[in-house]
């Protein structure tokens, strides 16, 4: 009986892994330094690496295992719901509502697939990330925002949309809870400034516009 239950659990895990394989070819808006678009799986991998590297520097103790679980799970829904660019959500708030609805359906399906093992834990971790109330969720959200901008810094400036010039300077609100992240944000923001200046753009003007628009 025990072996039968475990076999069912393992079969369900394989179903979720099959679903997750889609993240290897689900493309994000971000571009890589070699001119190729980034996959969701690549974004999640580097977020995980950032968590491991930054964890010893944080001012407050973080549950690293929980943090990594949250990071790995947070974009799993995109295997079904697809990746929706934040730029599209800014331009059309209705898209954000549809995104949330599709992601809710996806995480419910994943929870149900894994109902005999850790489906509820995965469901809870997904919403913990979304609600950003715990320290681990705040850390995961900060890493998410910083990794995105850092990836933009790697990409050719020709791949940036004009709104992304502004978004380079609005990450501050996501990092204020920990000085380590404030310092990291400043480093990444400085790189973005240098990239924009190198393209002949007025960074002071962009920063002022960003502050006025997204504050």
């Amino acid at each position: 009986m025990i072996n039968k239950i475990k076999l069912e659990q393992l079969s369900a895990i394989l179903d979720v892994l099959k679903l997750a394989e889609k993240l290897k070819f689900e493309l994000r808006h971000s571009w890589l330094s070699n001119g190729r678009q980034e996959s969701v799986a690549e974004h999640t991998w580097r977020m995980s690496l950032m968590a491991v590297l930054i964890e010893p520097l944080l001012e407050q103790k973080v549950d690293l295992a929980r943090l990594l679980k949250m990071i790995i799970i947070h974009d799993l829904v995109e295997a079904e719901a697809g990746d929706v660019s934040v730029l599209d959500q800014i331009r059309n708030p209705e898209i954000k509502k549809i995104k949330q609805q599709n992601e809710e359906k996806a995480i419910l399906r994943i929870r149900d697939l894994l109902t005999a093992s850790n489906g509820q834990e995965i469901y809870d971790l997904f919403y913990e990330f979304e609600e950003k109330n715990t320290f681990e969720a705040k850390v995961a959200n900060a890493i998410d925002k910083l990794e995105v901008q850092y990836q933009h810094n790697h990409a050719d400036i020709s791949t940036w949309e004009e709104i992304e010039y502004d978004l380079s300077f609005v990450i501050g609100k996501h990092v204020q809870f920990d000085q380590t992240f404030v310092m990291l944000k400043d480093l990444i923001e400085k790189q973005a400034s240098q990239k924009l200046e190198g393209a002949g753009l007025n960074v002071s003007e962009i920063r002022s516009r960003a502050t006025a628009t997204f504050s």
Side-chain angles (χ1 to χ4, degrees):
M1 183 64 179
I2 294 175
N3 284 340
K4 182 181 178 182
I5 293 172
K6 184 169 283 189
L7 186 61
E8 290 173 353
Q9 292 171 326
L10 291 171
S11 294
I13 288 170
L14 288 178
D15 288 340
V16 173
L17 289 173
K18 181 179 180 181
L19 177 66
E21 192 258 348
K22 293 180 181 179
L23 298 180
K24 294 185 178 184
F25 55 81
E26 177 67 32
L27 298 180
R28 292 168 52 80
H29 175 73
S30 301
W31 293 77
L32 306 180
S33 59
N34 67 352
R36 175 174 67 78
Q37 267 185 281
E38 174 190 43
S39 73
V40 175
E42 289 166 329
H43 166 62
T44 301
W45 170 80
R46 195 159 70 159
M47 278 184 66
S48 301
L49 179 59
M50 284 178 70
V52 171
L53 298 177
I54 291 169
E55 179 264 335
L57 305 181
L58 297 178
E59 297 175 342
Q60 180 177 327
K61 185 172 176 57
V62 65
D63 183 337
L64 183 58
R66 186 175 188 81
L67 173 61
L68 287 172
K69 285 182 181 181
M70 206 179 299
I71 287 171
I72 291 167
I73 288 163
H74 91 287
D75 278 337
L76 181 57
V77 293
E78 294 183 8
E80 280 209 339
D83 180 74
V84 180
S85 167
V86 67
L87 306 185
D88 292 335
Q89 295 177 60
I90 291 171
R91 295 182 185 112
N92 184 356
E94 191 62 30
I95 288 177
K96 184 174 183 178
K97 293 179 184 177
I98 295 170
K99 171 182 179 288
Q100 290 172 336
Q101 292 168 357
N102 290 339
E103 289 184 349
E104 182 176 357
K105 291 176 185 176
I107 196 62
L108 282 169
R109 177 167 181 253
I110 291 165
R111 183 189 69 180
D112 292 345
L113 279 170
L114 298 170
T115 189
S117 54
N118 60 344
Q120 187 61 47
E121 178 192 17
I122 286 172
Y123 179 89
D124 291 343
L125 285 168
F126 174 81
Y127 279 107
E128 184 178 341
F129 181 97
E130 291 293 299
E131 292 162 6
K132 303 174 184 63
N133 290 327
T134 66
F135 184 66
E136 282 75 18
K138 288 182 173 68
V139 170
N141 177 64
I143 289 174
D144 188 21
K145 298 299 187 292
L146 291 168
E147 199 284 328
V148 169
Q149 184 58 50
Y150 195 45
Q151 185 58 57
H152 283 322
N153 290 354
H154 298 328
D156 192 279
I157 193 71
S158 65
T159 65
W160 291 32
E161 295 189 32
E162 186 172 352
I163 192 173
E164 290 176 293
Y165 303 164
D166 296 31
L167 293 177
S168 302
F169 303 105
V170 298
I171 304 173
K173 61 186 176 182
H174 300 284
V175 301
Q176 294 301 322
F177 66 96
D178 190 284
Q179 188 61 27
T180 298
F181 279 121
V182 173
M183 294 171 68
L184 182 60
K185 183 271 296 184
D186 289 345
L187 288 171
I188 291 172
E189 195 174 276
K190 182 179 179 181
Q191 289 185 356
S193 296
Q194 291 170 342
K195 195 172 191 76
L196 291 165
E197 287 171 352
L201 296 162
N202 187 323
V203 171
S204 295
E205 182 180 295
I206 292 169
R207 191 189 295 271
S208 297
R209 184 177 67 205
T211 302
T213 305
F214 296 102
S215 59

